[in-house]
Amino acid sequence: MKHVFIKGMDSEAPVIVLFHGTGGTERDLLPLAREISPGSPVLSLRGNVLENGMPRFFRRLAEGVFDEEDLIFRTKEVNDFLDQAAVEHGLDRHNFVAIGYSNGANIAGSLLFHYPDALRGAILHHPMVPRRGIGLPDLTDVPVFIGAGMNDPICSPEETEELSTLLKEAGASVTIHWERAGHQLTRTEVDAAADWYHETFE
Ligand code: MLT
């Protein structure tokens, strides 16, 4: 997959894995990684799907309606890529923490829903429920930060709560941070995610 890799100064720090939103690129979230964990190695991926020229991590049939078959295929593709990248760059595969926004939060959420050891933790900015009606892997001790907007037209507060409940039922420890805002990523949400990261991983 097209990506950026930054070696990082601190090989013990979590590897930050970045997933952009629809229409973004692997460069979009690099400042977030630098800000939240400056010493970390960084793997920033570009989604392999194009929707009218806009990169995404999986296909959708309409806004908010995911192509489930493609989601499953792309989730495996990303997980396999992370496995290979760990070997190639000598990274600890059990020390990967995702940061994703919107479509990128949804593929990171899908990794959690499908693979028990894909992520050590995750910061999900404005995620949705990636799939319904499946059993989740054991996510005991996997910390998840969810940033959500009370007026998010793409992801309703009810869907945020549903995602939180599903993750908690699988054993994850979930923190929801609410913004009085819509789908955009705000400064205060990024600050809250950074505080949560420092409390959780340092
Ligand atoms: C998605 O398709 O993943 C969500 O609707 C978020 C987005 O607009 O990308």
Side-chain angles (χ1 to χ4, degrees), residues 53-177:
M54 297 185 296
R56 285 177 53 86
F57 285 95
F58 55 89
R59 287 181 211 289
R60 60 181 163 180
L61 305 174
E63 171 127 342
V65 185
F66 299 160
D67 178 334
E68 199 158 286
E69 199 180 313
D70 191 60
L71 174 63
I72 293 165
F73 176 80
R74 299 292 168 191
T75 304
K76 181 176 185 313
E77 186 177 55
V78 169
N79 197 48
D80 289 348
F81 172 81
L82 296 178
D83 289 349
Q84 284 163 19
V87 174
E88 189 179 328
H89 299 296
L91 304 168
D92 177 359
R93 183 67 187 89
H94 297 290
N95 200 17
F96 282 24
V97 174
I99 303 177
Y101 168 62
S102 190
N103 181 247
N106 292 337
I107 193 79
S110 184
L111 282 170
L112 293 171
F113 268 48
H114 291 100
Y115 297 100
D117 299 316
L119 298 172
R120 179 179 165 202
I123 294 175
L124 306 178
H125 293 293
H126 302 262
M128 298 165 68
V129 174
R131 282 187 74 192
R132 293 186 169 83
I134 60 164
L136 269 62
D138 181 2
L139 297 175
T140 304
D141 295 333
V142 178
V144 180
F145 173 97
I146 296 177
M150 285 175 194
N151 303 308
D152 189 333
I154 295 175
C155 180
S156 67
E158 292 75 25
E159 184 157 356
T160 301
E161 295 288 359
E162 182 186 354
L163 176 62
S164 168
T165 301
L166 291 169
L167 291 169
K168 279 186 193 161
E169 282 171 359
S173 54
V174 181
T175 301
I176 305 182
H177 170 83

